Amino acid sequence: MKGKNIFFLAVLLNATSSLCSADSPDCAPFSGDLDVNIRNIYPEGGDWFPSNCKIYLGSLNNGTLVEYDPYTTATNIIEFPGVTHNWEYFVCGVRYSRATDTIYVSASARAPWFNTNSPGMGTNLTGPNRLIQYSPRDRSIVWEVDLDPAISDIEQQIGTPVGGLQDSASDKDGNVYLPVTFGNFLLMVDRNGEVSRFYTPDLDKLDKSYGFGGLFITENNVMVLADGVSSGFVLFNLSGPNPTEAHFSKPEGLPDNDDIHLECDFLLAPRKYRDTVALCADVLSTSISPHGVITVYVSEDGWKTSKYAGAIPVAFGQSPDVFSTAQFATADRIYALSSALPYGPQIFPQVESTTLVDITTRVDELVGDAGASQHRRDEL
Ligand SMILES: *[C@@H]1O[C@H](CO)[C@@H](O)[C@H](O)[C@H]1NC(C)=O
Ligand SMILES: *[C@@H]1O[C@H](CO)[C@@H](O)[C@H](O)[C@H]1NC(C)=O
Ligand SMILES: *[C@@H]1O[C@H](CO)[C@@H](O)[C@H](O)[C@H]1NC(C)=O
């Protein structure tokens, strides 16, 4: 993909700074696909860190974090003692928190997602789970918490295993929320690293299929969570009188072929659309593309209601078997991760590099009206 990258010169920075959002005043804009030249990253999560203008990608198998400079292509591998090269873990969720100006890294149990002995995803819910708060500014781990006591507490209450952690999102106070995908519980970790249970589903209807997946928290402090069990979104008003009360809603206009269930490995509200557009990493929906799709939803009322806007097939022309398990956004661009995951044969292929695919134009085309109305609002 060399030569495709369009970088603006740093000298243009002052002249173009009004194009950047307030949160990244010092980052020059960039666009086009980016190649990260490190072997075998298999990213399941990644984010833009506006305070140092770098991208952080989780390396699933190695349990490391890859720091990538989109201007120079320089890379740096960050290791986590106890997690890195420990095959019990999968480093999947990597999420920037505005409230704490740090990154949250989910070191999740591997077995619920990938286990050569067990018949499939979600069948073996054992293994350790940690959340790591990492500060790119200080290049240090702020804290690291063990999520297993909170999970054991749930399992003791309900008498059956739950598990499958992946992504996280943080609210305006710096509390972090972590969905438990197989069981539909939510854990919360506060700013100081105290873990608690945030949400318990209706236990009479406990469903351990793929449920809570990706999530984001809006500027109004409303948590929007994708739920594969109800095939819809779940809202929690974190500033409201009952923050733990769940509101379920199903998007309008889902395709009739019954292939889109909101089983989202990740959910992103790109900054340029100010919480009116959500992208779901729907790796399991294969009627449009064999490697899943990125489904796109729009909402004009803070996600009380929403509409399906379409899907971007994951067929990016990279190495075969590339899935897109997560996306991330800068102030003005949207990138899809590409990850060479072995959803078929259980052997990870050797890959020399990983491409971050610029999908901004494709999202713009799909959301058309929502995008246009957003630009009008910006001009007011
Ligand atoms: C993963 O580990 C291998 C073997 O140590 C190393 O060659 C590779 O660079 C590592 N990649 C990442 C992303 O950590
Ligand atoms: C479940 O996963 C654990 C690792 O967490 C592994 O030790 C165990 O053998 C697996 N059980 C089955 C039945 O596959
Ligand atoms: C959330 O709760 C606050 C405080 O009660 C309220 O002002 C706001 O409208 C609520 N937001 C939504 C989306 O319900």
Side-chain angles (χ1 to χ4, degrees), residues 84-147:
T84 295
H85 299 305
N86 179 343
W87 278 72
E88 286 192 289
Y89 289 101
F90 250 178
V91 160
C92 41
V94 172
R95 205 77 184 254
Y96 169 65
S97 163
R98 181 176 309 275
T100 55
D101 200 33
T102 58
I103 279 175
Y104 292 93
V105 179
S106 306
S108 307
R110 171 183 296 251
W113 302 109
F114 186 82
N115 192 316
T116 41
N117 302 322
S118 60
M121 205 189 260
T123 55
N124 184 341
L125 300 178
T126 65
N129 298 276
R130 295 189 202 181
L131 181 70
I132 301 165
Q133 187 189 11
Y134 178 76
S135 168
R137 280 172 174 280
D138 300 339
R139 298 184 162 272
S140 67
I141 294 171
V142 180
W143 51 241
E144 186 176 2
V145 295
D146 180 359
L147 302 170

Side-chain angles (χ1 to χ4, degrees), residues 231-287:
S231 288
F233 293 112
V234 191
L235 265 59
F236 294 89
N237 187 347
L238 301 175
S239 297
N242 301 306
T244 61
E245 194 184 332
H247 301 270
F248 292 82
S249 73
K250 210 170 161 152
E252 290 166 34
L254 285 172
D256 294 332
N257 64 9
D258 201 34
D259 185 46
I260 308 282
H261 299 285
L262 284 102
E263 291 158 331
C264 305
D265 266 12
F266 193 85
L267 195 68
L268 173 74
R271 294 210 55 78
K272 64 179 289 204
Y273 292 122
R274 303 254 170 92
D275 298 327
T276 62
V277 171
L279 269 55
C280 157
D282 195 339
V283 293
L284 302 177
S285 293
T286 53
S287 68

Side-chain angles (χ1 to χ4, degrees), residues 220-222 235 237-241 247 301-304:
N220 294 329
N221 217 30
V222 172
L235 265 59
N237 187 347
L238 301 175
S239 297
H247 301 270
D301 61 3
W303 299 93
K304 284 183 201 132

Side-chain angles (χ1 to χ4, degrees), residues 340-364:
L341 297 173
Y343 276 83
Q346 308 264 295
I347 296 161
F348 282 79
Q350 297 293 310
V351 285
E352 291 305 317
S353 68
T354 295
T355 306
L356 309 175
V357 183
D358 186 340
I359 57 167
T360 317
T361 312
R362 288 186 241 189
V363 179
D364 286 348

